[in-house]
Structure formats: structure tokens, C-alpha cells
Amino acid sequence: MTSSPVPVRPAPAGSAPATLAIDYALLRRLAKVLEPYRRWILGALAMAGAHALLGAAVPFLTKLVVDVFVGAEGAPPGPPAWLPADPRQSVALIAGVYLALLAVQYLLRAGQIQWMSLAGQRAMHSLRERLFAKLQARPAAWFDRAPVGRLVAAVGADVESLNDLFTSGFVAVTADLLLLLFCFVWMFWFSPALAAVVLALTPLGVVLLWAFRRRSRPAETEVRGAVGSLQGFLAEQIAGMATVQLYSSEQDALSRFRELNAEHRKAQQVALTAQAWFLPAVELLAAVAAALLLVVAGGLIERQAVSLSVVVAFVQYGAIVFRPLQRMMERLSSLQAAFAAAERIFSLLDEPVEESAEPARPAPAPVASRPSKKGNKSEALGVEFDGVWFAYHGEDWVLRDVSLRVDPGEMVAVVGHTGAGKTTLIHLLLRFYEPQRGRILVGGRDLREWPREELRRQFGSVLQDPRLFGGSIESNIRLDPDAVDREQALEAARRVRLDEFVKKLPQGYETPVGERGASLSAGQRQLIGFARALAFRPQFLLLDEATSAVDPETEARIREGLAKLVEGSTSLVIAHRLSTVRRADRILVLHHGRVRETGRHQELLDARGLYWKLYQLQFQDQEAA
Amino acid sequence: MLSALRIVIPYMLRRRWRYTAGLAALLARALLAVGIPFALGMGVDALAAGEPVRDYAAALVGLAVAKAILQYLSQQLLVGAARDVEEDLREDLFARLTQLPQRFYAERPVGELLSLAVNDIVAVRMLLGPGLLQFVEALFVGTLALGLMSAVDWRLTLLIFLPIPFISLTVNYYGKRTQESFTALQQRLAALSAFLEERFSGLRTLRAYTRAEAERERFRQVNEGYFDAALALIRVWRRFYPQLELLTGLTWAATLGYGGWRILEGAMTVGDLTLFLASLALLTWPVIGLGWALNLVERGAASLERIHQIFRTPLQIVDGPHTDYSIDGVRGDLELEEAAVYFPGTEEPILDHISLHAASGVMIAIVGPVGAGKTTLLNLVARRIEPARGRILLDGAELRSVPLAVLRASVGFAVQEPFLFDGTVRENMLLGRPDAEAWEVDEAARIAQLTGEIADLPEGLDTPVGEQGAALSGGQRQRVALARALLREPRLLLLDDSLSSVDLETEVAILERLRLYLRNRTTLYVTHRAAAAQLADEILVLERGQVVERGSHRDLLAAQGRYYDIYQRQMLEEELIHDE
């Protein structure tokens, strides 16, 4: 037998559209992705072609054996002259050639799989990298709208099914078509009349395939839909099982489930019926082809227009040419899923990136140089907000005409009730968002004139719930290993008193932090955040104190760590701690997006205004502690 | 493995006629299938002898048509039966899931159970349908072909059947390797996804530290890891398929070489050779299918084992000998005596020395810090957990003696983060009492202060709430859940901070209405708001699992203790919020 039926991985459920419209623009883009690997792809295609050619030659060997026998009997046409005169030697030679052919086919198939899959995987590998880089360059606000799950799926699973489109789609179909082509070339060479019989039946095969697709495609869509609703219902019920049980609606849930389950079975049954007749039909077609061959050959042999050996070879061809049809059927559904995936990937690639990292206008003043590794703080920067208005959505103002200054060396604390707009100040300074009105100056330069990366390097920031990433504690402190060496990291950890805690861990700084830092307490995560900011030796410290409660011992450590952190640096702190506001050079009270009061702790307390109320609520308890 | 297989036997027996008919069709089909090469071989011999071949051609077509019909039938019967088993098994699994206690769910992620009900059951179906079919088919066709071929020439048959077991073994071996590599690849994909998830959601931190370049490098590594796993899979494939082709090719080569030689000897005819070649084409699929079938059996058995575990998980809180079935209703007179609950598997109390009495019609407010045991107390009363010590009495009878269905029907429970199902507002409200009248729904909505907002929704009560109620605000979700609880006309209403996202005025208004509505029902409600707590007949202040203060609002204020502090702070907070 010439080529094995290669089982194809089924398409992931629920991901394919109902139609398989070939989108040429999409194919062109896909071709571009594959372009760098064209040599391998062409090599693999050449091997697939050679494999098909050899496969199509197998019935020819059968014909030769029969010729040898017929020749030995003395009947025409006899074996070709180039075979040995001794019939036994001839048969041995033919069998030897067959074995050699099998060996070569083995190598060709192995080489084809290797090159094709490698090219595919390499292309997908680089496509993933491109996608990631593109996504990384998106503005922060873009991520507010894009569901993370979709992005993850695009880079992960979608790229994988795109690979299927390439390997099991393009290549396999090409190989099958070549096999068909070569078989027909041989057949016509042997006997145009018999070849015509087989060829006449092929359109029937194509019609079968088409009819099968027409019936099975809606069935598959139905199955995907049924699986989807079944899964959706199950996921919801399992997540809400407590409610189901409390309301004793188990019976209702069960009867709804029974309906969905039955729909699922019915949809599967329809798809199964569509499938169940196709394979028998193709095999029936092959048998009809064999029967027709016998009948037609009977007449031809009588007129000596064809030899017996040719008939035997044709019986074998009949078995080969209908097999690609079966394979194509298996592949079609995975192709559909792949086209949908390709569309999602390319549409993601097309979305706009965070506008140029370069300043919009040429910088009028020389850029403050990046702090050296050893961290001199000679060029401290000031920050100024000048009449800033900002809304995340429409006219929902979060900041209204906010003006504030932080001079070099100063520590300014911002306080306010929940929703006052405090954290937004930090988002704007890091240029995650652009203010709608007013301007923000850093080191006397408009924010928009700063190259984005350069700007962000000026700040060391501790956001409210410091994100930890998979890796060790050390790698989390040294988020940027190029800018922060180990010594700096350890020094920073000592200063914020993270050291004492880390030393108790068996693996010390090498201790892995779990997914999103799950194995560490909120307090410990904050300390790591402090160390991270300090090790970075920023010009300017942005700190959003966490409100979450921690045990008194950790609280004491955090307080001390904070003191070290802000010591002698320029900082803007969103304060939730009494110790912090007391230390501040200035306190701004932000209320409903406006700066309502400014002053030092005692002054503001004496004024008995908003700050005094906030103090009662947020800070007074800490006084006692 | 075999013990797990036992659980599907009753399901299969229920379809024994279809299985029998399917297997009979399969046997008949195998017989006919073997007849095809026979007819073909005889046809070729007739051709060689110059005899007419029409009969053979007709036989060929007849055999093929009958075979195709039987093939269709056997497939429909066997795979169809397996799909029915799948349906039943999944239904029984889901029914079991609805009975399992909360603790069971706390220990298992939703995804795991989902995969069980979907993927594992599909694996069982594959075992009972295509797996069984291919296995039996290989057995039938293999035996028959072996008999037929050895009747023609046993030496050649022996030679051909030599590589055949290796084909099945190859498929089985590489099938397993493929599965392993594929699982490894899926794990890498999961790692890649986890990495991306972490980066995309931690984006702000990374940006603030200008990590873009370095992150690309890390991604490169993760991506490389995936690529390596893909290479491992390629390494399996690049041996698998060529080897399969080689082995099947060897059977053809043997037929051609040795068969050719036998023809020259005069021991075989050209027709016999054709018969062998056609038989090989016939055998190839079943032999490959056998290898796959063995994999399906292994996977299906592993899945069955997992499903079996769910069926074996004890149900815990159920009716039993302690149940007094004469109790068919509840008045709502609740009493706790020195009740205690421990953390699972420890003697560390979550709740300790809890005593309270709530005659029907009484409202009790529970306040206290996070982790004080407030929710546990409500769960205890609803018998979602059972006390480790102490007693709980309902209308003077032990709570556990009340039939569970009676108890559930008399309890209305609303929680802080209620679970709304993807349906309309009305459907969610009717969850516990699908037959409630329209005016009752309106009444419940009115008490929950939802009437105005429902009118504002695009389709009123018939507006879809979206997945987990996403289309509603937090406060609306809470109030729909309250209305849902009220519609059950509970004797015992338990509110677990279930109005926390509703503004204070509305919460107070709701509680005031509830007072009227609940005249003769018992209410326990957890709240963080002093203004809401003060409407209760009695306030319990819980701390670290113990009642530290109890009394009326007035008494507790006068005592100037914990409750007093909470009250003072909240008054201030209110003032601040309203200061514009």
C-alpha cells in the first residue's frame, strides 16, 4: 500500500464559523508569515511529490510481476526486455525494487513531516513573538477594554490552529492531489480506456464529498452549538450550585440539563448519520469501479487491447484513488477552525499601538540622563499638574481642574475618601492615560515631550497591590536585571526590612513566588514592592499605599520600610497611614476630583475641615496602635 | 481499571438489543467484506481464462451494496447506542453533582468538574462506541480474512500476518507517545497562557518599570519552551507515520514477491494474487483501528475511574434515620444552644458558645469584623454545615430532624455576592418558586425596592441579566436575589450582608418594609451598617467566633463598646460622602 491514512486531530469545538469561505487576503497574509521558511516548505513539498510519485508506481510493479508470469507461459505481451530472462530472478528483482522503494518512501515521508512541521512551528513561533510585541505596545487604556482571556487565546490556541491550516491543510491536500495526478498519469499510460472508466467515477466521488460537506457542515455547527450550550450550562450550574441547592431547584436544573443533553445527543446523531453513510459510499464506489473494470476489461482482453497485468494493476489503482477523498473529508472541519483563528490573529495585529514612544514634539531641553547604576540623585526632578481635567469615560470627570506641585526633595501626600481620584494622578504621571485638559510637567518639561520609556524610568512606583510575577523573590525585586544588580536588590531589601522575613524562608531570595504571588501575604507583597522601587533608585517616587489590613508586626515593618523609602527622595504618596501624612511636607486633600485643602498635618487638623473628618475615619485608629 | 468498567455495564445492558443487532450487523458485514476480494480474484481468473466476468462483476456490486448498508447500520447502532449511554451517564453525573455538598465544590475548581462532565464522558463514549466497534471489527475481519487467505495459500498468509501485529502495536505505541507529547504540549500551552495572562493583567507594573524589552525576552523563552515541546511531538510523528507506511508496505511487498514466485510455481493464479492484494486493502483499516481502539480503551477506563469517584463521594448532609418525616412545615422559632463550628479537620473554632433565641417574627442583626464567623452562623442555621458541638432547635425540634426538603423550602437565603443565572430578571426571581403569580413577583420587587429600576430596564422583568448577572449593577443583583428569597415565602429569612452594594437609604427602606412583611417570620441579617442594624430587635456583635455584645441599638450605644465605635465611624462617613 502506498500511503497510510493519516489521522487528523479534530478541530477544537466552538471555534469555527459555519462557512468555509476562502479569504484570499487572509491567505496572502498567511503566505507572508510563511515566506521566510519557503526553502523548507518547498523542500517538504518536493519530498511529498516524490513520495506520491513512488506510491503511484506500486501498481506498476504488480503489473510487472503478472507480465513475468504471463511471459513465462509464453503468452504476449511478456515482460519488458530489461528484466532478467529468468522469471524467478525477475520476480526477486521486482520485490527488491519494491523494498527499496519502501525504504525511500520511508525517508521521504519522515523528511517531509520533519521539514513541514518544523517550518510550521518556526513560523508560528515568530508569529507569536510578533503578536506579543504588538500587544505589549498597546496603550494601557486599550487593555481596559480587551478581555485578557481573548488575548491569551489568540497568542496561544489560535496560533496553534493556524498551524493546522498550514500543515494538515495546505501540505496534506497538495500531497493528496499529487498522488491522484500521478495515478491518473500512469493509468492513462497503461490503458486510456480503463483509465477513463476510473476517471468517470471520480466526479461521483467529488459529488459525494460535496454532498457530505453540505449535510455535515450544518450538523457540525449544530454539534458545536450543542456542546457550547451544554458546557455553558454546566459551568454556570457548577459555579452556582450553592444557590441551586439553597433554592431546592435541583429538579428544575436537572430537567433543563436533560433537555440540553438530549439536544446534544440529537445533534451528534445527525452528524453521525451524515458521517456514517460517507465511508460506506466511498468504499462502494471503489467496488463499483472494480466491477466496471472487470466488465470493460473483459471486452478489451478479447480484442487483445489490454493485458491481464494491466487489469490487476488497475484494481490496485482503484483502491488508491478513492482514499484521498476520505482524508479530505477528515480535514475539512479543522480547516474551518483555522480560518477563524487566522482572522482573529490578524485583526489583533492590525489594532493601533501606543502612539510612538518618541516625543511628539522635539524636546526643547536636554533630557535628564538616566540615573547611573550607582544611583546619584543629583538631578532630582519636580512634578507639576496644571489645571488637569481627566475622565476615563466621556464627561465622567475623575479629576477636575487639579493643580499641584512637588518640588525636588519634597514629599507630598494625597489623601481623600474612596473614589476621590487619587490613583488616577499616578496613572497620568506614568502616561497610562492622557489628560483631556491642562498639562503635566516633569522636570519642567511637558509630559508629552518625554520619550515614554525615558519618562517612566524617572519614576519608581509602588502601585496599590504590587504585582508579583512568576519567578523568585529576587527576580521580583530586580524586575529589570539590567538596571538593578543583585547587590542593589539586597541592599534595598535590607533597607525596607524585607530582609528579615526573606531570611526565614528556606530558599531565601531564591524562593519562588506562586502564581501572582499567591503564597505571600499582602504585607509581604507590599514590602517586595517597596524593595523593587528602592532598588530602582528612581528620581521620583510614586507610592500608592495599600489599604488592606495586615497584622501589627508586618504593619510596623511596612511603616519603617516606607520611612526608608521616602527618606531624602522626591515623592508623591497616596497616603493611608498616619505616619505617612505626618512626615509629608505637604498634604493635598482630594475630594470628588478637586483639591479641597492643602497644608501640613497639624494645620489641616486645626482647620477642622474635610481633612479632620478623613483623619477621624482613616487615621485616628492608628494613633492608638 | 476493570472495577471502573463495571459501572457502565448497566447502561449498556439497557441497550442490549441495539448492541446485539449492531454486533450481528458487524459480523455480517465482515463476512461480506471478505467476499469482495474473493469475487474479484475469481473475476480476474475468469478474465485470464477468457470466460465471461459479468456474474463476478454483479456479485461484486451486490456484495459491496449489502456491505455498505450493513456498515452504515452497524455504525448507527453501535455508535448510536454509545451516544445514548453518554447521555444517560452524563445526566446521572449531573444529578449526582446537584446533591453533593458545598465542601465538595470548595475543593474543586469549576474547570475540573466541567472537564469531567464533558471530556471524560466523551472518552467513555469513544470507548463504548468507536472503540468497541473497531475492536470487534478487527477481530471479525482479521479472523475471516485469515481463514480465507490461508485456504488459498497458507504460506503466503503466514508471511503476510507476520508484520500485521506490529502494525497494531505501532499504532498503539506511537498513539500513546503522541498522547503523551500532546499532553506535554498542552501543558506548555497552558504555561504560555498563564505567562500571558500574568503579563497582560500586570501590565501597569511592567510599564511603570519599563520592562517591555526584557519581557519580550522572557516571552521568547516561554515560547521556546513551547516550540521544544512541539519538536518532541514532531519527533514522534516523523517515526510514527513512516513506520506505519513501511509496515503496511511490507505486507504488500511480501504478497507481490512471494506471491509472484508462487504463481510461477503454478501454486497460485493471478486471480489469487489479486485476492490477496484486495484482502490487504481490506485488512489495513481494521488493523490500524485495533491500535487506536486499544488507546481508546485505556483512556476511557481512566475517565471512567474519575467519574466513578464522583459517584462514590458521600453526600454528607442528607436525610437519614434522624429525620422526622412527620414534620411538614416550619413556624420559625429558632434556638441555638452553645453551638460551635471548627475549621475543617481541626479543633480551632470558627464559632464557639453561640446561643441565641429568635421567636418567629423577630429580627436579629449580626455585626462584626471580617472573619468573625457571621456567615458561618447563617450557614449553621440553614443547615449547610453542621455544628461540632451544641444544639440547634427549630420549633423545638432538632434541626437535623427536619426533612431537608421542608427546611430548604422554609429558608430564604440571600448573600453578599448572589449568583444570578443567565436568564431574565423574572426567571431569576422565580428560581425557588417557578409557579409564583405575577402579582407576587411584583410585590417581591416592590419590597426589594426594584420596581422603579425594573421599569427602566429595556424589557422590564423580561430583561436578560447576562452571564452571572453582569448586565445589572451590584446593588441590583443583590436586590433581585432578595426578591428571589422573598418569593419563597420563607419562615426563616437569612441575609448575609446581602444589601452591602445598595445605598444606605435604600437598605433602610427595604428593611423597614421587610419589618412589615416579615411580621411572623424570623430574620437573621448580617450587616456592616449601624443604621441598618438599629432596626433589629436584637443586635449581636460577633468577634473571633464569639458574641461579644448583644442587645438593642439603644442599649448597645449606651454601653459605649464595640457597637458604639462602629456607629460613630459610620455617622462620620455618611457625612463625608454627602459633603460636596
Side-chain angles (χ1 to χ4, degrees), chain A residues 1 51 109 114 125 129 136 138 160 236 245 258 261 265 283 316 433 461 479 616 621, chain B residues 67 84 87 91 98 100 125 204 207 209 211 220 223 226 238 245 252 413 422 569 572:
Chain A
M1 101 174 257
H51 185 281
R109 178 65 87 199
Q114 167 98 354
H125 179 259
E129 238 157 62
Q136 269 216 320
R138 290 285 139 77
E160 194 47 50
E236 189 182 45
Q245 290 175 347
R258 225 172 261 145
N261 203 14
R265 200 228 327 120
E283 284 179 20
Q316 231 177 338
Y433 302 89
S461 47
L479 254 192
Q616 304 283 321
D621 287 354
Chain B
K67 190 196 104 175
D84 282 6
E87 187 186 3
E91 186 182 317
T98 62
L100 285 167
R125 183 237 297 164
R204 298 232 158 103
R207 289 246 162 116
Y209 283 88
R211 288 279 297 151
R220 217 163 279 151
N223 200 7
Y226 180 83
R238 114 184 141 195
E245 283 179 3
W252 291 79
F413 204 134
D422 195 359
R569 286 174 63 105
L572 203 64

Side-chain angles (χ1 to χ4, degrees), chain B residues 388-558:
Chain B
R389 273 193 293 114
R391 294 208 305 166
I392 305 169
L393 302 173
L394 190 57
D395 301 339
E398 285 263 8
L399 188 64
R400 53 200 302 263
S401 70
V402 181
L404 214 51
V406 174
L407 179 67
R408 294 263 185 268
S410 3
V411 171
F413 204 134
V415 297
Q416 191 183 7
E417 286 181 11
F419 194 94
L420 295 195
F421 294 88
D422 195 359
T424 65
V425 177
R426 189 196 305 276
E427 283 164 4
N428 269 290
M429 282 167 62
L430 290 177
L431 179 72
R433 236 187 93 210
D435 57 348
E437 304 280 341
W439 66 267
E440 290 176 292
V441 174
D442 292 339
E443 173 67 10
R446 202 176 55 81
I447 297 172
Q449 301 274 333
L450 271 169
T451 313
E453 278 156 271
I454 287 174
D456 288 343
L457 292 174
E459 293 162 65
L461 273 171
D462 296 310
T463 309
V465 299
E467 212 172 293
Q468 304 207 3
L472 302 181
S473 75
Q476 285 171 336
R477 280 201 291 274
Q478 288 187 336
R479 283 173 297 150
V480 169
L482 175 67
R484 175 165 80 183
L486 292 177
L487 266 176
R488 306 205 82 195
E489 303 200 307
R491 306 303 309 174
L492 262 176
L493 185 64
L494 307 175
L495 307 178
D496 188 2
D497 207 10
S498 68
L499 294 167
S500 59
S501 306
V502 177
D503 64 67
L504 184 65
E505 285 78 11
T506 315
E507 180 173 5
V508 170
I510 290 172
L511 288 170
E512 277 167 354
R513 284 220 184 146
L514 273 178
R515 266 229 91 104
L516 295 173
Y517 168 79
L518 294 170
R519 253 189 311 256
N520 51 3
R521 301 159 205 263
T522 314
T523 309
L524 262 64
Y525 66 101
V526 169
T527 181
H528 277 104
R529 289 169 174 156
Q534 63 181 313
L535 298 172
D537 299 308
E538 190 183 13
I539 299 166
L540 298 186
V541 182
L542 274 188
E543 243 172 56
R544 293 194 189 86
Q546 308 225 4
V547 178
V548 291
E549 286 178 24
R550 69 197 313 163
S552 71
H553 175 68
R554 197 181 294 263
D555 296 344
L556 289 179
L557 280 192

Side-chain angles (χ1 to χ4, degrees), chain A residues 155-316:
Chain A
V155 182
D158 282 353
V159 172
E160 194 47 50
S161 71
L162 189 60
N163 188 34
D164 285 350
L165 173 65
F166 167 61
T167 44
S168 69
F170 171 63
V171 181
V173 169
T174 309
D176 276 343
L177 288 177
L178 283 175
L179 181 64
L180 274 179
L181 178 73
F182 290 136
C183 282
F184 274 106
V185 168
W186 278 107
M187 284 193 278
F188 272 99
W189 176 261
F190 291 145
S191 163
L194 289 180
V197 170
V198 180
L199 191 62
L201 283 175
T202 336
L204 250 173
V206 175
V207 169
L208 271 181
L209 189 65
W210 175 79
F212 168 74
R213 275 321 287 168
R214 221 179 50 127
R215 286 189 54 177
S216 76
R217 197 162 58 198
E220 275 167 28
T221 313
E222 196 107 320
V223 169
R224 268 195 288 271
V227 170
S229 10
L230 194 68
Q231 275 190 345
F233 181 80
L234 269 171
E236 189 182 45
Q237 293 293 317
I238 292 171
M241 193 55 83
T243 309
V244 170
Q245 290 175 347
L246 271 175
Y247 285 84
S248 20
S249 62
E250 293 98 330
Q251 283 311 315
D252 294 335
L254 194 57
S255 64
R256 177 85 193 103
F257 183 75
R258 225 172 261 145
E259 281 167 36
L260 288 172
N261 203 14
E263 272 165 36
H264 174 255
R265 200 228 327 120
K266 279 178 209 143
Q268 298 262 39
Q269 192 62 45
V270 173
L272 174 70
T273 308
Q275 240 167 39
W277 66 262
F278 183 75
L279 277 184
V282 170
E283 284 179 20
L284 179 61
L285 202 61
V288 169
L292 273 179
L293 277 175
L294 275 184
V295 174
V296 175
L300 290 174
I301 284 182
E302 261 174 52
R303 282 180 277 132
Q304 303 229 325
V306 78
S307 69
L308 183 65
S309 61
V310 169
V311 179
V312 178
F314 263 81
V315 169
Q316 231 177 338

